Amino acid sequence: MTPSATVGSGRLTERMTALISEIRAVVDRGLPPELTAYLVGERLAPHLHADPDGPDALLTAAQREGDPQRYRQHVLHAEEDGGFSVVALVWLPGQQTPIHDHVSWCVAGVHQGQESETRYRLVSEGPTARLVETEHVAGPAGTVAAFAPPGDIHLVRNSCSSTAISIHVYGADVSRLGTSIRRVYRLPADRQQ
């Protein structure tokens, strides 16, 4: 399932504008992808606990709207030079991604609700390949995950009975690409024992 997309999801809150400035300062340092993702995650974490309806909210009401058919992607910001973009993903109960990897480094922070992630390792066996589950991670509000390809194969889903919202920062311009997904995997997957 691919997300429904909303590009340029309206005005930005003051808190989101401040977060974007903090992210820009990290990305402009030109560090390796893994370190950039880690440092961006450190900048994102304090913003995740903002009261969604308070005066210092991270997202507007429109940027918190879901789609009953599939998880929804609100592209909040993309740097003119393509250096990074910020996206709000809104997940209604039971919505999930396919098993996929990414075009660039990525940071994901849970702003509301809880997300579950299943991580995989690709195992090649001559001309065939399969996926092996390596880890299940439950991410309540405030949780941040940072990673960079390769080795970023996963499936994410809303594991709670209410709406989940996460903020994703990608080291690419998803407004131009349309998605952060590099590849969707349709291989057999071995369950973790």
Side-chain angles (χ1 to χ4, degrees), residues 2 12-13 16 21 36 38 57 66 81 141 154-155 169 175 185-186 188:
T2 57
L12 297 177
T13 64
M16 182 56 70
S21 289
T36 298
Y38 174 80
D81 68 359
H154 66 167
L155 175 147
V169 184
S175 69
Y185 292 84
R186 293 181 172 84

Side-chain angles (χ1 to χ4, degrees), residues 1-10 59-78 85-92 95-98 100-104 106-108 115 154 163-182:
M1 174 188 304
T2 57
S4 64
T6 304
V7 178
S9 298
L59 302 171
T60 66
Q63 294 162 349
R64 296 190 318 249
E65 289 180 5
D67 179 327
Q69 301 302 314
R70 56 181 92 49
Y71 69 99
R72 186 168 187 184
Q73 171 181 274
H74 296 275
V75 179
L76 305 174
H77 175 79
S85 52
V86 181
V87 175
L89 293 182
V90 181
W91 316 74
L92 299 181
Q95 292 179 338
Q96 68 180 35
T97 67
H100 67 283
D101 61 9
H102 296 272
V103 297
S104 68
C106 174
V107 176
E115 294 177 0
H154 66 167
T163 300
I165 300 175
S166 52
I167 306 300
H168 294 235
V169 184
Y170 301 106
D173 183 348
V174 297
S175 69
R176 277 187 243 160
L177 298 173
T179 182
S180 67
I181 295 174
R182 180 174 70 100

Side-chain angles (χ1 to χ4, degrees), residues 45-68:
H47 295 277
L48 296 173
H49 295 292
D51 179 356
D53 298 311
D56 66 341
L58 187 58
L59 302 171
T60 66
Q63 294 162 349
R64 296 190 318 249
E65 289 180 5
D67 179 327

Side-chain angles (χ1 to χ4, degrees), residues 98-157:
I99 299 172
H100 67 283
D101 61 9
H102 296 272
V103 297
S104 68
W105 60 264
C106 174
V107 176
V110 180
H111 181 49
Q112 175 184 318
Q114 178 168 310
E115 294 177 0
S116 293
E117 178 186 17
T118 303
R119 297 175 183 168
Y120 298 89
R121 178 173 44 88
L122 182 63
V123 177
S124 296
E125 298 168 335
T128 63
R130 63 186 170 87
L131 296 171
V132 175
E133 286 184 16
T134 60
E135 188 174 14
H136 294 282
V137 179
T143 304
V144 175
F147 49 87
D152 61 324
I153 303 170
H154 66 167
L155 175 147
V156 181
R157 67 182 169 86

